[in-house]
Each structure stands twice: as C-alpha cells, then as structure tokens.
Amino acid sequence: MNITGKTKIIGIYGNPIEHSLSPLMHNKAFQALNLDYAYIPFNIKKENLKDAINSIRTLGLVGLNITIPHKEAVITSLDEVSNEARLIGAVNTIVNDNGKLIGYNTDGAGFYQSLIKLTGEIPKNKKIFIIGTGGASRAVAFQLALEEAGKLILTNRNYQKGYQLAEELANNTKSNIEMVEFKSSKIEDIIPKVDIIINTTPIGMYPNVNDDPIIAPELISPNTIVCDLIYNPYKTLLLRKAEDKGCKVVPGIGMLLYQGVLGFEKWTGVKAPVEIMEKVLIDFLFNKLPR
Ligand code: NAP
C-alpha cells in the first residue's frame, strides 16, 4: 500500500480496537481493486468521542466505521441518520458527504444479505425465532421487521430487556411480534414450527465451543434455516448439529462480511470484491485466531 497526499482515508473508531478484522478486510479490498484508499483503526476513549467525530471533517476522512462501545453514543454528533440506524439506535458506518456526516447501520442489512446469499431464501413472511436481544439482535430484528418478516418471536434471559425490544419493534414496524420467556416450555413448541432460528447470544463462542447450544438441536426441523451471529468458531456446535439434521445454516462471518461490503460500497461507490473480502476473513479465522 502506497499512501500519498491523495490517498482517501477511512477509519474505524472503537475501544478496544486491536481485534477488529475490518482493517484487514477493507485494505485487502482496496488493494485488490487498486483503489487509492486506506483503512485505519483508531482507539477512541468515550470522553473523546465527540472531538473524534468532529475531526472527521477537520482531517477530511471519507468515511468511518464505529464499533463498541460508541455505536449508540455517536448518533447525537451526526448531521443525519438513516431510518434503520435511528430505529436500531446505533450507527456502525458514517459517510462524510462534503462535511455532512451521515450515519447508517449496516449490521442488520449485512445479516439480511448473508442470509439471502447463503440460503437463497428471502425472510419476507417467514416465522423467525430470535434468541437474545442485545445490540446485534436489535440490528438484526429491526432489519428483518423492516423487510416484512411475517412474525418475529423473541426470547431473552433478561425478560424485561427483551420485552422492551419487542415493544419497540411492535410500535415501529408492521411485523407481528411475540416475546416468550427464556427456556420456557413454550419454546419447545416454537422451535420445530419456525422457518428461521437466529442465535444472537455468545453461547458457543470460542473458547466455550463445546458448551451445550442455547436451544436443544433435537427440536429443530430439517427445513429450518439456523443462523448464529458468532464467527469464532466458523460453525458453532448449534450450526453443526443443525447441519447434521439437514438444515441450511448461516455462520456469523456472513454478517461481518456483508456489513463491510455495504460500507465499502457507500464510501467508494464501487462494487465490493466480496469473494476477496470473504477469503481474507476466512483465512484469518482459520489460520490466525485461536480456535
Ligand atoms: P450484547 O449486546 O452484550 O448482547 C448479548 C445477548 O446475549 C443478550 O441478549 C444477553 O442476554 C445474551 N446472553 C449473554 N450471555 C448469555 C447467557 N449465558 N445465557 C443466555 N443469554 C446470554 O452483545 P452483542 O453485541 O449483541 O453480541 C452478541 C453476539 O453476537 C456475540 O457473540 C458477538 O460476537 C456476535 N456478533 C456478531 C457480529 C457479526 O458481524 N457476526 C456482530 C456483532 C455481534 P441478557 O440481556 O439477559 O444479558
């Protein structure tokens, strides 16, 4: 990479930031397409976020990713926020449009894209069971509701927190929303009857790869699509068990990939080299991450 005065700079703000795979993915993509862009990670403390956002204009950054813990707090510092990002209450992508900072959320859309690409199925009118209602779940649930999923059934260990998301979804989208008690007997009836199951909790994530899956895989029907947002391991025990039953599965790396693909295309206006971005992520996952 040859950085000059003409190079367009994209950044990512987070804390911690050293584990982010986005610099690897985007720099490889810029290189592959011979684009004069560079993607640079910045470790930004909470108390410096406002200044750091203002410096996007000062430094002339073309765009930015925002990651934990700034995705929610950043909203008040932006000039405009997309409908999805406003509903989700979080921004992960910023475009600097001649000094106007526009915030987007490509996490939910990234998940949605990966689901379609990997399964060939469209979630519209489907019955979907979402386990966990944290930050990633919010993005996924709102995107699915906006894409007219037939019904979203949510469950969460902390019922009150889950209920709050269910209410927001019901009040702001046309989807049919239901909230059920975590690990209640009702869930045993729900699992075999839904079209799509999504684990948004960290259960099964490295190093706890052999922990019991969040739901009993025996209950899953073979024609159900099973998704896990976890990307290390590449396929969680839940996904492997679901595959054994004949289910189509969607590993979390797809969401990571496509949130980046969507950001790349917003910043550059160029079609992202998806296969190259995917390969660099998978190579890293299998060869560099502890597993
Ligand atoms: P978060 O905001 O902390 O939410 C975590 C969720 O998991 C909450 O609903 C929490 O329930 C639940 N949970 C945590 N531990 C649990 C346990 N032992 N038993 C049952 N439920 C439990 O985290 P997040 O940012 O949404 O991330 C969640 C997962 O998604 C992580 O594995 C993360 O790596 C993955 N993720 C993947 C991508 C991607 O691009 N593939 C992007 C973002 C996140 P309570 O409310 O009861 O605490």
Side-chain angles (χ1 to χ4, degrees), residues 106-117 123 128 136 139-141 143-144 196-200 227-229 250-252 254-256 258-259 262:
T106 67
D107 285 330
F111 171 79
Y112 180 75
Q113 285 289 327
S114 76
L115 175 60
I116 295 175
K117 297 273 183 226
I128 304 175
V140 166
Q143 193 68 36
L144 291 170
I196 301 174
I197 295 172
I198 309 169
N199 174 38
T200 75
C227 316
D228 205 320
L229 301 195
V250 180
M255 175 172 172
L256 180 66
Y258 280 98
Q259 64 74 32
L262 295 169

Side-chain angles (χ1 to χ4, degrees), residues 163-182:
Y163 189 80
Q164 200 180 321
L165 175 60
E167 269 203 326
E168 283 182 56
L169 286 161
N171 291 340
N172 291 288
T173 71
K174 292 186 187 131
S175 272
N176 184 349
I177 310 292
E178 186 182 345
M179 176 73 196
V180 293
E181 292 267 5
F182 188 64

Side-chain angles (χ1 to χ4, degrees), residues 67-68 71-72 107 110-111 131-140 155-159 161-162 182-183 199-205 211 214 228-232 251-259:
T67 188
I68 288 167
K71 287 186 183 186
E72 293 84 16
D107 285 330
F111 171 79
I131 309 150
T133 60
S137 173
R138 273 188 80 86
V140 166
T155 191
N156 194 46
R157 183 178 58 178
N158 177 334
Y159 184 85
K161 220 174 104 192
F182 188 64
K183 295 207 165 155
N199 174 38
T200 75
T201 77
I203 302 296
M205 187 162 73
D211 281 5
I214 191 91
D228 205 320
L229 301 195
I230 292 169
Y231 57 81
N232 187 15
I253 202 146
M255 175 172 172
L256 180 66
L257 169 67
Y258 280 98
Q259 64 74 32

Side-chain angles (χ1 to χ4, degrees), residues 31-103:
Q31 221 176 356
L33 299 187
N34 216 2
L35 294 176
D36 193 6
Y37 281 77
Y39 187 104
I40 299 174
F42 296 94
N43 193 325
I44 304 292
K45 292 191 181 129
K46 277 187 184 173
E47 59 271 28
N48 295 330
L49 181 64
K50 251 190 187 356
D51 284 348
I53 293 296
N54 282 330
S55 71
I56 297 173
R57 298 187 192 87
T58 317
L59 298 172
L61 304 187
V62 171
L64 208 73
N65 274 138
I66 300 287
T67 188
I68 288 167
H70 304 313
K71 287 186 183 186
E72 293 84 16
V74 73
I75 289 185
T76 53
S77 302
L78 301 176
D79 300 310
E80 204 175 297
V81 169
S82 72
N83 184 42
E84 291 86 344
R86 185 182 54 76
L87 288 171
I88 295 164
V91 159
N92 77 326
T93 303
I94 297 174
V95 172
N96 179 1
D97 181 10
N98 292 313
K100 182 166 145 192
L101 303 183
I102 309 171

